[in-house]
Amino acid sequence: MTRTARRGLAAALALALGAAATAAAQSPQPFGSIDFVEGNASVTRGNRLLGDANIGDDVYPDDLIRTAGDGVVVIALARSTGMRGTLTVRPRSVAYLRLAPGDGGPRGGIELIAGQIASKMTKITGNPSFTVTTETAVMGVRGTAFGVAASVNGGILITCSEGEVEARDGQSRVAVPAGNAAERKPAERLRVIPIRLSSSEDFERRWIAEEIEAFKADPARALGDLVERYTELNRRFAEAMDPVQRSEVLNTWLREDAAGQTPRSNDPAVMRQKREIVPLILEARKILFIFERIYYRLDQIEGLVLGTPAERAMIRPGLTAGDFLRRFRQEAPVLERRMLLFRQAERLYALRNQGGAGFSGLGGSDDFFGSDGDWDF
């Protein structure tokens, strides 16, 4: 893994693990409520798919929002985020909601796994922060209208129509003022470019269309690297999750959760259980961060390839794009159950960590990846 990828990973883990570890220290506060829904969209909480998103439903930190090709979800931010405004999850997108306390105010954000999001927000009081995290870049938002898109090729586009967004990719830091965009292609640095169309939305749509056409021009080349990464990460994640799934601690926690039992974080038995399972959770979390992004990128690519002449593209001798993607589709139910079980293990740990140090205090977060800590916004 490159230093850029490691630092991006460290930044996202810091927010994700911090939110998970502190979520149970107080009564759950909503991230916001669903203000508008169009088409097919769902909410997953822990290891449970809650079903279709509905207007008026509250959404909470660590919820997974997923939209289909016709789906749009608009979330009105709650006061707990320290921000006023809306967050829009656009079609064919997957994103986690994040919220954790910070010294200057709430640290809110969204972890974009695939697709596009947009938002318009202002601060309420204090000094809250809001970040958007992708696989390769982190955006700091301070009262602005912006959009972020992740392409099927691994590129990132950040657009700004009001205010300013600051973006970092581990090598570069750029300010994106209104009327401009920042683009990061794989193996390249962030660069600021002017928005050449009438609106940032039109510019983003054109950029996404061009990225899709670039993929279709040579699907075998584009899929070659993804196939190797997916195969390796799938193996590593299965190996990391095996001791988690077989853990008697997790099985005990699952039984207690099903029975509605409330754990006590200062119970000596609970403290021993946490010490036993946390290294297993942290090891799986490191792999899942990247694997999840590869998984959902392939999920999007499947719709661009299957049923088209691109199916016949030869990735390597004896393996066509169609062969691989059909195998991927067969494996998907097992992989999604495994990922959901991991989220449940994280949640059950957090429930038993009230007033505790959290994952970072046990050697997690940035310490794994050699980050120098200069990602804070």
Side-chain angles (χ1 to χ4, degrees):
M1 183 182 291
T2 66
R3 179 171 175 79
T4 299
R6 289 170 63 208
R7 293 174 70 183
L9 174 55
L13 280 169
L15 184 58
L17 293 179
T22 57
Q26 52 192 342
S27 298
Q29 296 187 66
F31 182 94
S33 61
I34 297 177
D35 201 42
F36 175 81
V37 179
E38 183 174 270
N40 293 304
S42 63
V43 179
T44 299
R45 185 169 301 150
N47 69 335
R48 293 178 54 228
L49 175 64
L50 301 184
D52 294 340
N54 295 294
I55 293 175
D57 288 351
D58 284 338
V59 289
Y60 288 84
D62 302 317
D63 280 0
L64 175 72
I65 311 297
R66 187 173 183 179
T67 58
D70 62 348
V72 175
V73 174
V74 180
I75 299 168
L77 299 176
R79 291 186 64 87
S80 58
T81 65
M83 310 293 283
R84 177 184 292 110
T86 59
L87 179 67
T88 301
V89 183
R90 291 177 171 163
R92 296 187 182 88
S93 300
V94 181
Y96 284 104
L97 308 178
R98 302 299 192 191
L99 184 63
D103 293 338
R107 296 174 60 222
I110 185 164
E111 189 179 334
L112 181 63
I113 308 298
Q116 307 93 47
I117 59 98
S119 190
K120 183 173 183 178
M121 60 180 68
T122 57
K123 293 181 181 180
I124 298 176
T125 58
N127 190 32
S129 66
F130 196 93
T131 60
V132 180
T133 305
T134 69
E135 181 179 348
T136 56
V138 178
M139 283 63 70
V141 181
R142 296 183 178 90
T144 187
F146 68 95
V148 180
S151 86
V152 293
N153 301 312
I156 298 294
L157 181 75
I158 306 153
T159 58
C160 182
S161 54
E162 292 180 19
E164 185 173 274
V165 175
E166 184 181 78
R168 307 182 192 182
D169 66 359
Q171 295 177 315
S172 308
R173 177 191 301 193
V174 300
V176 188
N180 288 268
E183 179 184 48
R184 189 186 192 279
K185 295 295 184 72
E188 297 180 6
R189 293 189 177 191
L190 279 165
R191 65 187 186 101
V192 177
I193 52 178
I195 293 177
R196 302 181 185 89
L197 297 178
S198 58
S199 71
S200 58
E201 290 84 0
D202 290 339
F203 187 79
E204 181 181 271
R205 279 192 290 269
R206 175 76 62 84
W207 184 84
I208 292 169
E210 290 174 351
E211 287 288 296
I212 290 173
E213 288 306 310
F215 170 83
K216 290 180 176 179
D218 193 352
R221 182 186 62 80
L223 274 170
D225 177 60
L226 281 179
V227 169
E228 296 302 320
R229 294 175 72 192
Y230 166 82
T231 302
E232 174 65 11
L233 288 167
N234 187 10
R235 179 189 64 79
R236 291 176 58 198
F237 186 56
E239 290 177 355
M241 278 299 293
D242 181 61
V244 176
Q245 290 174 272
R246 290 188 291 103
S247 168
E248 184 54 38
V249 171
L250 178 58
N251 288 322
T252 298
W253 290 359
L254 289 169
R255 289 192 296 269
E256 291 173 351
D257 190 58
Q261 297 180 23
T262 302
R264 292 186 296 112
S265 60
N266 59 352
D267 185 318
V270 171
M271 295 173 70
R272 285 194 299 271
Q273 290 170 344
K274 289 192 297 181
R275 285 195 297 270
E276 179 179 331
I277 199 171
V278 73
L280 307 179
I281 294 176
L282 288 168
E283 182 62 27
R285 184 66 176 87
K286 288 190 293 182
I287 301 166
L288 180 62
F289 179 86
I290 299 297
F291 178 59
E292 216 170 17
R293 284 154 175 77
I294 300 297
Y295 174 86
Y296 283 114
R297 196 188 306 174
L298 287 169
D299 184 64
Q300 292 186 322
I301 286 172
E302 179 188 7
L304 300 175
V305 172
L306 293 183
T308 76
E311 276 195 28
R312 297 190 292 274
M314 194 66 67
I315 298 173
R316 61 173 181 258
L319 182 67
T320 67
D323 293 337
F324 169 73
L325 289 170
R326 278 186 285 273
R327 189 188 84 194
F328 167 77
R329 181 43 48 205
Q330 291 174 346
E331 294 173 349
V334 172
L335 298 181
E336 292 201 4
R337 285 196 297 271
R338 191 176 291 149
M339 289 188 283
L340 288 175
L341 179 62
F342 174 81
R343 298 296 175 191
Q344 178 74 332
E346 261 192 334
R347 186 185 71 85
L348 294 175
Y349 176 90
L351 285 171
R352 289 157 177 79
N353 207 51
Q354 295 181 15
F359 285 105
S360 59
L362 293 167
S365 190
D366 296 3
D367 293 342
F368 280 111
F369 310 102
S371 170
D372 56 14
D374 64 355
W375 279 82
D376 294 333
F377 286 94

